[in-house]
């Protein structure tokens, strides 16, 4: 399927960014994350949540986002973040998460990558053999990447999320393959969870095109539902993604599931999805299938894995019952880049082909 904006080739108001944009790229369980910490214009706002709103309405920033996301510098499923000041001195920095459809409120795989980057780059000082907390302000709140180093090298990262909670269970959804039910849970963003057994499908790469379209369909069907409206902050409203999962049963350690998360408008997470894993932890806890001390083994469509746990329980959520979830994974540096835009380039900020 091709989603191509013809004005990308002959733009009427093309950005003429000639400043060099430096980025460091990581992947977390196969999902890319492009970190931009220098070369950005001023992003206004007193908090990261306010800066996200500013970025959504800034032509200059949106041009940079498109430049870094779209081909030929990126691709349809590219992901990254702008490093910004934190809300206050209690955090190390803030971040605006972005992808090809705009700016998200949360990103677990990105938080894991940022933790690894902050320690590896020396931005946050760490002992050679220790666990170092990296505190990060994101649009949905404050999160912590607990970075474990062994012999001076980052070995693993545990992402401690904002409070996660079930919003609704067994929500009826009419789909092109018949009626199904979905669960809704918040993990920094709102996710719809659907067991693919309802479609008679297994979660394999052979079924990828069908699963992708079903994920998009479910997201947009539920996106404007009253259940999808955040009760305290409308900036967090709407369904961010659909977690299509296959239940592989319970082990002695806890549940084992495989998933493909379709977020934004048809972007597919190669990782098991960090904030989505937190949402699944909240749902499984509400079902009584995951308890403190147990582990959710959460696999992706490309067979990478996150481990999800209940760090603690909380009543400071809408509805009164939730969890502080933690998600363990690892991010690896894949490169460092200096990007620019030649003002004579007719492709400009690029294009998207899917």
């Amino acid at each position: 399927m091709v989603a191509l904006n013809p004005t990308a080739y002959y733009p009427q108001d093309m950005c003429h960014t000639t400043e060099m944009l430096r980025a460091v790229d990581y992947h977390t369980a196969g999902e890319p994350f492009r970190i931009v910490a220098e070369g950005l214009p001023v992003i206004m706002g007193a908090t990261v949540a306010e800066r996200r709103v500013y970025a959504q309405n800034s032509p200059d920033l949106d041009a940079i986002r498109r430049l870094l996301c779209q081909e030929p510098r990126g691709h349809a499923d590219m992901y990254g973040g702008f490093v910004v000041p934190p809300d206050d001195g209690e955090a190390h920095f803030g971040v605006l998460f972005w992808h090809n459809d705009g700016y998200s409120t949360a990103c677990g795989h990105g938080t894991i990558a940022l933790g690894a980057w902050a320690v590896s780059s020396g931005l946050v000082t760490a002992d050679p053999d220790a666990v170092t907390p990296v505190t990060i302000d994101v649009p949905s709140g404050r999160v912590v990447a607990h970075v474990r180093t062994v012999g001076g090298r980052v070995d693993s990262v545990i992402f401690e999320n904002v409070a996660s909670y079930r919003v609704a269970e067994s929500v009826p959804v009419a789909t092109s393959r018949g009626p199904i039910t979905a669960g809704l849970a918040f993990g920094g963003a709102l996710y719809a969870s659907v067991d693919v057994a309802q479609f008679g499908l297994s979660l394999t790469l052979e079924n990828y095109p069908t699963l992708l379209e079903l994920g998009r369909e479910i997201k947009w069907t539920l996106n404007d539902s009253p259940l999808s409206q955040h009760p305290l902050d409308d900036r967090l409203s709407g369904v961010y993604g659909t977690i299509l999962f296959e239940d592989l049963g319970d082990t002695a350690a806890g549940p084992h599931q495989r998933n493909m998360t379709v977020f934004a408008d048809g972007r597919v997470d190669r990782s098991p999805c960090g904030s989505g894993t937190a949402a699944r932890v909240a749902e499984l806890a509400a079902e009584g299938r995951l308890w403190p001390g147990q582990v959710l083994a959460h696999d992706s469509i490309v067979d990478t894995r996150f481990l999800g746990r209940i760090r603690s329980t909380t009543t400071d959520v809408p509805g009164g019952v939730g969890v502080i979830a933690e998600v363990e994974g690892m991010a690896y540096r894949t490169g460092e880049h200096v990007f620019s835009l030649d003002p004579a380039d007719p492709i400009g900020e690029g294009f998207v082909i899917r």
Side-chain angles (χ1 to χ4, degrees):
M1 180 178 69
V2 176
L4 181 62
N5 179 1
T7 62
Y9 285 106
Y10 305 102
Q12 303 301 309
D13 187 23
M14 188 176 75
C15 168
H16 292 293
T17 301
T18 55
E19 297 296 324
M20 298 296 183
L21 291 166
R22 294 186 178 273
V24 179
D25 279 16
Y26 276 74
H27 85 83
T28 307
E31 177 73 357
F33 193 76
R34 179 162 285 167
I35 301 168
V36 185
E38 57 182 295
L40 295 169
V42 175
I43 304 176
M44 302 297 293
T47 65
V48 172
E50 290 180 7
R51 290 188 180 96
R52 175 175 178 258
V53 175
Y54 177 87
Q56 289 173 315
N57 295 283
S58 168
D60 288 342
L61 280 169
D62 207 50
I64 294 172
R65 178 189 64 80
R66 293 195 304 272
L67 184 81
L68 297 176
C69 270
Q70 299 182 153
E71 295 184 51
R73 299 167 188 85
H75 52 80
D77 294 287
M78 193 65 206
Y79 213 114
F82 297 144
V83 176
V84 298
D87 293 356
D88 57 49
E90 298 300 312
H92 290 100
F93 54 88
V95 62
L96 299 180
F97 299 118
W98 43 255
H99 46 72
N100 259 314
D101 291 306
Y103 295 85
S104 55
T105 59
C107 178
H109 92 273
T111 300
I112 290 172
L114 287 162
W117 165 76
V119 168
S120 297
S121 68
L123 179 66
V124 175
T125 303
D127 291 334
D129 296 282
V131 175
T132 302
V134 178
T135 305
I136 307 168
D137 285 328
V138 306
S140 58
R142 180 162 287 171
V143 299
V144 182
H146 299 273
V147 183
R148 180 173 180 259
T149 49
V150 177
R153 294 179 60 87
V154 175
D155 180 70
S156 64
V157 181
I158 293 177
F159 155 52
E160 178 186 345
N161 199 14
V162 299
S164 303
Y165 56 92
R166 172 187 267 177
V167 173
E169 60 178 315
S170 301
V171 180
V173 184
T175 78
S176 56
R177 291 178 70 102
I180 54 100
T181 60
L184 287 172
F186 183 82
L190 187 63
Y191 290 91
S193 289
V194 175
D195 189 335
V196 294
Q198 295 185 80
F199 298 115
L201 295 172
S202 57
L203 217 151
T204 63
L205 286 171
E206 289 77 14
N207 290 328
Y208 179 96
T210 301
L211 294 168
L212 169 59
E213 291 308 315
L214 287 169
R216 294 181 70 204
E217 186 179 352
I218 293 163
K219 169 197 159 67
W220 290 117
T221 298
L222 292 174
N223 191 63
D224 295 324
S225 162
L227 292 171
S228 302
Q229 305 310 301
H230 195 280
L232 303 177
D233 188 344
D234 191 54
R235 293 173 298 189
L236 302 176
S237 293
V239 174
Y240 176 59
T242 303
I243 302 172
L244 299 165
F245 71 89
E246 185 171 15
D247 200 317
L248 303 176
D250 293 310
T251 69
H256 181 198
Q257 296 187 343
R258 178 177 167 89
N259 88 91
M260 180 174 122
T261 300
V262 183
F263 65 93
D265 186 22
R267 279 48 182 150
V268 175
D269 201 324
R270 274 68 176 149
S271 82
C273 187
S275 54
T277 298
R280 291 299 298 148
V281 166
E283 285 202 281
L284 290 166
E287 292 172 10
R289 284 191 61 193
L290 186 68
W291 297 89
Q294 291 187 304
V295 179
L296 164 64
H298 212 209
D299 297 340
S300 75
I301 189 72
V302 296
D303 294 323
T304 54
R305 176 173 289 185
F306 286 158
L307 300 177
R309 305 181 185 90
I310 299 170
R311 190 177 186 89
S312 61
T313 58
T314 179
T315 57
D316 189 21
V317 297
V321 180
V323 301
I324 303 298
E326 62 179 32
V327 179
E328 183 174 356
M330 181 56 187
Y332 299 91
R333 182 181 173 120
T334 59
E336 184 172 354
H337 310 277
V338 179
F339 294 106
S340 63
L341 173 60
D342 186 333
D345 185 348
I347 290 178
E349 293 126 26
F351 52 89
V352 177
I353 294 179
R354 176 171 293 283

